[in-house]
Amino acid sequence: MLLEVHELNTYYGMSHVLQGISLYVNQGELVALLGRNGMGKSTTLKSVMGLVKPRSGSVVFEGKTITGYPPYKAARAGIGYVPEERRIFPNLSVVDNLFLGIKGGKILNPEDPKVWTMERIFQHFPKLKERAGQKGRFLSGGEQQMLTIGRSLMGNPSLLLVDEPTEGLAPLLVKEVRDILEEINKAGVSILLVEHNIKVALSLANRVYLMGKAHIGFAGTVGELERNPEIKAKYLEV
Ligand SMILES: Nc1ncnc2c1ncn2[C@@H]1O[C@H](COP(=O)(O)OP(=O)(O)O)[C@@H](O)[C@H]1O
Ligand SMILES: [Mg+2]
C-alpha cells in the first residue's frame, strides 16, 4: 500500500471537520475522493500533506508513519500537492516556476527515465513548452493549472494529491487536464483526486470514496458505484 490513512480526526477550532477518515491508495492507482461542498475533501488532502494537523489518527506513506509531518517533509517523502487555488508565481517565467518545483522534492538522478525533468514535463505539456519564457501571469487559467501540476511533478512525487483541477475551466481545457492526469498516472504517479466533475473523476478512477459531512459514506470501485444510483444521488450532485 502506498498511502494508508487511518481514522483521521481534524478540527478547525471547535469544528470537528474530519471524523474518523480512513482511506488508502495502492501503488499505481488513481483514487477519487468525491462529495458535495464543505464535506471535508480538501481538509483530508491537507491533513495528509501536513497543511493542517490532525488531532488523532495516522498517515502512513510507503510504510512510514508521517502523521503531523510539516508539508516540506511530506514533499520530501514523495507526496506532491496541487492545491485548489493555483499558486503560480505571476512574475516568474514558466521555466522558473517549474524549477521552483524541484525545491523540497526528491532529488534523483536525471538520467533515470522515470525521473521528471523539464524536458519530460514539456513532452506531456506541449502548451507549456510553447510558453516557456512567458511570465506566469500571462497564462490562461488552464495553462496555469497545467503549470501547477507540472511544477509538482518536478519534485518527483510517487503520490500526487490533486484538489479540483478542472474547476473553472472551459470544457476543452477540462478534457486536456483530464487527459494529462491520465497520462501522468500511466507514467507511474499514483493520484488521489478531489474533483467536482463526476464524469471526469469516474472516467479516470480505479476506486472511489464518497464523503458525507466529515466522514466517508461509500468506498468501492467505479463499477460498484455505477450500480448504486441511490448512493450516487445521496452523496453527489447528479
Ligand atoms: N481554514 C478553515 N477554518 C475553519 N473552517 C474551515 C476552514 N477550511 C474549511 N473549513 C470548514 O471545514 C469544512 C470542510 O471544508 P473542506 O475540507 O474545504 O470541504 P470540501 O473540500 O469538501 O468542500 C467546511 O465546513 C468548511 O467550511
Ligand atoms: Mg475543497
Side-chain angles (χ1 to χ4, degrees):
M1 217 170 281
L2 183 66
L3 174 75
E4 197 177 353
V5 169
H6 189 65
E7 288 286 324
L8 277 190
N9 286 284
T10 298
Y11 292 72
Y12 291 118
M14 298 287 281
S15 175
H16 191 179
V17 298
L18 300 185
Q19 302 180 9
I21 297 293
S22 297
L23 57 84
Y24 65 90
V25 179
N26 285 317
Q27 183 71 51
E29 269 191 318
L30 191 153
V31 174
L33 178 62
L34 311 175
R36 295 193 169 88
N37 266 341
M39 298 295 103
K41 304 179 301 294
S42 295
T43 304
T44 300
L45 298 189
K46 287 176 184 168
S47 298
V48 171
M49 197 60 199
L51 291 156
V52 296
K53 220 178 159 129
R55 192 172 290 180
S56 67
S58 64
V59 179
V60 179
F61 181 67
E62 291 181 333
K64 191 171 164 192
T65 301
I66 63 160
T67 325
Y69 265 33
Y72 79 91
K73 275 188 144 180
R76 203 164 287 165
I79 306 180
Y81 174 62
V82 181
E84 214 167 347
E85 349 43 84
R86 294 150 203 162
R87 289 197 212 112
I88 62 146
F89 295 90
N91 291 321
L92 294 182
S93 69
V94 165
V95 165
D96 288 341
N97 265 281
L98 287 172
F99 267 126
L100 282 174
I102 298 177
K103 200 179 119 236
K106 281 184 179 169
I107 307 295
L108 299 167
N109 176 8
E111 304 297 315
D112 178 343
K114 293 205 90 162
V115 166
W116 290 94
T117 57
M118 188 82 61
E119 238 166 76
R120 186 157 170 234
I121 304 260
F122 282 152
Q123 279 168 19
H124 285 272
F125 302 84
K127 275 213 173 132
L128 290 183
K129 187 172 184 177
E130 281 168 31
R131 316 209 65 180
Q134 293 210 22
K135 287 191 174 162
R137 71 183 133 104
F138 297 122
L139 302 188
S140 70
E143 288 164 348
Q144 290 190 12
Q145 185 58 274
M146 290 174 201
L147 182 54
T148 315
I149 296 171
R151 189 176 60 202
S152 67
L153 287 173
M154 290 294 280
N156 282 294
S158 17
L159 174 70
L160 208 51
L161 311 173
V162 190
D163 201 349
E164 308 268 15
T166 71
E167 196 181 18
L169 299 184
L172 260 179
L173 283 162
V174 168
K175 169 120 183 30
E176 260 182 61
V177 169
R178 183 225 163 267
D179 291 349
I180 278 171
L181 291 172
E182 183 171 46
E183 276 183 36
I184 291 167
N185 179 236
K186 287 209 168 114
V189 181
S190 309
I191 298 178
L192 179 56
L193 173 68
V194 169
E195 175 58 63
H196 67 281
N197 185 324
I198 307 305
K199 235 177 114 181
V200 162
L202 297 186
S203 76
L204 287 168
N206 306 105
R207 287 184 305 111
V208 191
Y209 291 96
L210 302 187
M211 278 190 86
K213 189 88 191 154
H215 72 283
I216 303 278
F218 169 89
T221 63
V222 173
E224 282 161 357
L225 179 60
E226 298 290 14
R227 287 191 292 278
N228 273 292
E230 64 292 349
I231 287 181
K232 241 177 143 175
K234 183 174 177 190
Y235 293 105
L236 302 172
E237 270 138 58
V238 284

